[in-house]
Amino acid sequence: AVVSTQSGHYGRGTDIGFPVGFQDVITIDKTGEHFRMLFDVKGRFLIHRIKKEEAAYKLCVVKKLSTAAKGIPVLITHDGRTIRYPDPDCKVHDTIKLDIESGKILDHIKFEPGNLAYITGGQNCGRIGIITHKEKHPGSFDIVHVKDSVGHSFATRLSNVFPIGKGKQAWISLPRGKGVRLSIAEERDRKLAAKAKEM
């Protein structure tokens, strides 16, 4: 089957060794299936099945804002894309919703408390929660505090936080478990309950 990936600034790739990363969309043409690359709560890459409508866009976090030749404002995303004339309201660490076919920005999410975020690095990679507040540490890493849907709070570096929704509403479909990491005891209890159902 021909596999098409929408990754980075390379556009559409059908090479079997084509690289994919977080948020990239994979389409299998023969079966008409669509997938998005995400992380599970243990920090491993996860291929998450999505609908055709959702495969038309991806979310990109803004890494840098600068000015190109002739004073043209440009925005650089986490996957290496350079987008000219972005919305002036877009700031570094915000997330943009990008139409894959046209390469245009459809909307954006501000990096601010109260918005939903995916953790993409560190010990908490793969967890999802609401941004509660940010601590500034001059000369060191800024720290962001996040609370998941069951009330567990954790902290991570600012560079690991990827906003994925306004308020509690995610702009992408989420994997099973909704990014909530269970404790060892909770995971054991869930496995035992699943085994008991099978018997």
Side-chain angles (χ1 to χ4, degrees):
V2 173
V3 179
S4 305
T5 59
Q6 298 290 357
S7 170
H9 56 278
Y10 305 104
R12 188 177 176 85
T14 52
D15 174 16
I16 197 163
F18 198 78
V20 292
F22 182 67
Q23 284 292 335
D24 286 336
V25 173
I26 302 164
T27 299
I28 301 174
D29 293 340
K30 274 192 178 177
T31 61
E33 293 174 297
H34 306 276
F35 303 90
R36 190 184 299 280
M37 288 295 286
L38 299 173
F39 290 111
D40 68 8
V41 290
K42 292 184 178 176
R44 301 170 297 198
F45 271 120
L46 170 78
I47 300 174
H48 174 62
R49 190 186 298 271
I50 56 174
K51 292 180 180 174
K52 187 179 180 180
E53 301 75 46
E54 196 187 325
Y57 66 87
K58 69 180 285 191
L59 302 183
C60 301
V61 80
V62 179
K63 286 293 179 187
K64 188 179 175 185
L65 293 167
S66 64
T67 307
K70 298 181 182 175
I72 296 170
V74 294
L75 170 155
I76 297 161
T77 64
H78 78 282
D79 60 356
R81 293 172 192 264
T82 300
I83 300 166
R84 290 152 52 103
Y85 300 108
D87 183 334
D89 202 28
C90 287
K91 303 288 183 240
V92 174
H93 306 304
D94 289 355
T95 295
I96 58 167
K97 183 179 181 179
L98 187 84
D99 181 79
I100 292 171
E101 205 63 46
S102 67
K104 289 184 178 174
I105 298 172
L106 302 172
D107 203 347
H108 75 284
I109 304 164
K110 299 295 291 176
F111 182 97
E112 59 189 14
N115 282 344
L116 193 65
Y118 214 114
I119 308 305
T120 60
Q123 291 286 313
N124 293 300
C125 185
R127 297 180 77 175
I128 298 169
I130 300 290
I131 300 167
T132 55
H133 65 282
K134 182 175 90 171
E135 289 176 6
K136 286 202 170 189
H137 294 272
S140 185
F141 299 102
D142 288 354
I143 301 296
V144 177
H145 292 261
V146 180
K147 183 182 275 191
D148 68 18
S149 58
V150 294
H152 297 148
S153 293
F154 55 95
T156 190
R157 289 180 183 176
L158 174 61
S159 58
N160 294 334
V161 181
F162 193 119
I164 57 163
K166 289 183 178 176
K168 292 181 180 178
Q169 191 62 46
W171 284 9
I172 54 170
S173 58
L174 301 177
R176 189 174 60 186
K178 309 293 183 195
V180 174
R181 182 182 290 172
L182 301 174
S183 68
I184 294 168
E186 287 169 333
E187 207 165 321
R188 181 203 61 204
D189 292 344
R190 191 177 71 176
K191 283 179 182 175
L192 289 173
K195 274 189 181 177
K197 276 186 181 178
E198 287 171 13
M199 291 172 72

